Amino acid sequence: MGYPARPGTVGRLASYPNVIRAVLASLQLSIADAASLPPPTGPYQVGITRHTIEHFNPRDPLAPNKVSTAFLATIFYPTLQKPGGAPELYLNPKTAAYFENSWNYTWGGPVGQPPYPTILFGPGGGGPPVEGSTIPLAELASHGYTVIGLDHPFEQPFLRYPNGTGAYGIDIDFNDLQLLEAIYRTRLVDNAVLLKRLPKLVQQLKAPFNISHFGALGYSLGGAASFGSMYGDARFVSGLNPDGSLFGRPSSVFADVKKPVFLLASEYHSGEGEQADSSWQIFLSRQTGYVREIFVIGTTHY
């Protein structure tokens, strides 16, 4: 298919410059007035497909009666096929109305053969959902990465499943740490279930996605879950957390993941001031593997 050779050892943090550029590119959203997405900068076109992952969860903190039966997986992948026809709305109209944003995106195309680890992405708690991060995720796909983003129903303001049904979210009290920790644990379950079901899904799609090596990426609560999912799973080779406060093991004395990790943060995570997030300092102090952090002074979480 004409894909470039893998640069260096799988999982080295040095393979993340495109990831970092993609995350920073998302900052353009706050100042962009255009209705169309900027084109990805990589050598490949980008395909997208959505899949319902069935999973019975009897301890879902946000679902009616605490029971959920599925979550949504959105896959961005590199392809050589150029999009045909007019651009389509990539952000669901109900979601777009909620966040007062609207952009265009093209769908479909044959699956490519990414030479890199597959990236598992988690959006921020309470939204925007995965489709709200199309710019950085499509950018990654254009450079050869397959990215799988997971949305949990009832957490995001609105989710549209491939069969046309939809699920509205509930209001989340972000001052309720017990609730946030429960949502975090639910994210860990979703990530584990996706990895278990992925080989069968890849077989059904006849898609040559990498299912042996993964990079963990997530924003905010998704970043916390990306780090939390790395423990005890050799398939995860490295992780990137943009601005996610940490819960569970990553914020404990057992926080060492023994793998390359990168933290990109607003000033809040610097560990200074009364409102600073101390969970990062705990995490950083326990790492024995390669770790790097960058604080962007003067910035906020959104």
Side-chain angles (χ1 to χ4, degrees):
M1 298 292 289
Y3 291 93
R6 179 179 300 167
T9 303
V10 172
R12 290 183 60 188
L13 203 63
S15 66
Y16 268 129
N18 291 326
V19 180
I20 298 170
R21 283 197 293 268
V23 172
L24 295 177
S26 65
L27 298 177
Q28 298 175 5
L29 292 176
S30 61
I31 58 174
D33 294 324
S36 297
L37 286 175
T41 64
Y44 304 113
Q45 303 295 325
V46 178
I48 182 172
T49 180
R50 287 188 171 93
H51 305 274
T52 300
I53 308 299
E54 296 182 355
H55 172 64
F56 181 81
N57 185 347
R59 293 180 294 275
D60 190 323
L62 300 178
N65 301 318
K66 306 299 182 183
V67 175
S68 60
T69 58
F71 57 90
L72 182 65
T74 303
I75 304 176
F76 296 79
Y77 58 88
T79 176
L80 296 179
Q81 178 174 314
K82 295 183 178 180
E88 300 180 18
L89 290 173
Y90 88 88
L91 195 61
N92 183 278
K94 291 184 181 294
T95 304
Y98 183 90
F99 290 104
E100 297 183 354
N101 289 306
S102 181
W103 301 280
N104 292 322
Y105 192 72
T106 55
W107 297 67
V111 174
Q113 298 180 17
Y116 308 113
T118 294
I119 296 177
L120 188 60
F121 172 77
V130 170
E131 60 186 2
S133 296
T134 290
I135 287 180
L137 302 187
E139 176 71 7
L140 288 169
S142 79
H143 284 276
Y145 289 90
T146 295
V147 185
I148 305 177
L150 302 185
D151 285 312
H152 193 79
F154 314 113
E155 179 191 332
Q156 300 297 335
F158 181 80
L159 287 182
R160 177 72 72 188
Y161 285 102
N163 65 0
T165 62
Y168 286 93
I170 67 172
D171 291 331
I172 298 174
D173 181 1
F174 289 97
N175 293 316
D176 186 342
L177 292 181
Q178 185 176 1
L179 175 60
L180 294 182
E181 289 179 358
I183 297 173
Y184 164 79
R185 291 192 295 271
T186 300
R187 292 286 193 98
L188 297 185
V189 171
D190 287 354
N191 288 351
V193 170
L194 185 280
L195 292 179
K196 182 178 180 180
R197 305 282 179 82
L198 188 58
K200 183 177 180 180
L201 178 60
V202 168
Q203 185 179 27
Q204 292 173 344
L205 295 174
K206 294 181 172 56
F209 298 156
N210 189 335
I211 57 175
S212 61
H213 295 84
F214 292 86
L217 169 66
Y219 173 71
S220 191
L221 185 61
S226 70
F227 277 8
S229 293
M230 294 175 66
Y231 296 101
D233 194 328
R235 291 171 295 182
F236 282 106
V237 294
S238 53
L240 170 58
N241 173 14
D243 221 37
S245 296
L246 300 173
F247 298 91
R249 184 170 174 178
S251 62
S252 75
V253 295
F254 305 104
D256 189 7
V257 295
K258 299 180 174 65
K259 300 173 184 178
V261 289
F262 181 75
L263 300 95
L264 177 66
S266 64
E267 189 172 356
Y268 169 72
H269 291 284
S270 65
E272 301 175 358
E274 295 181 358
Q275 301 300 319
D277 181 3
S278 62
S279 69
W280 277 36
Q281 302 310 311
I282 296 173
F283 177 82
L284 290 167
S285 69
R286 298 290 173 174
Q287 300 310 302
T288 58
Y290 181 92
V291 60
R292 186 174 183 185
E293 58 179 331
I294 293 180
F295 299 109
V296 185
I297 303 301
T299 59
T300 60
H301 190 58
Y302 291 106

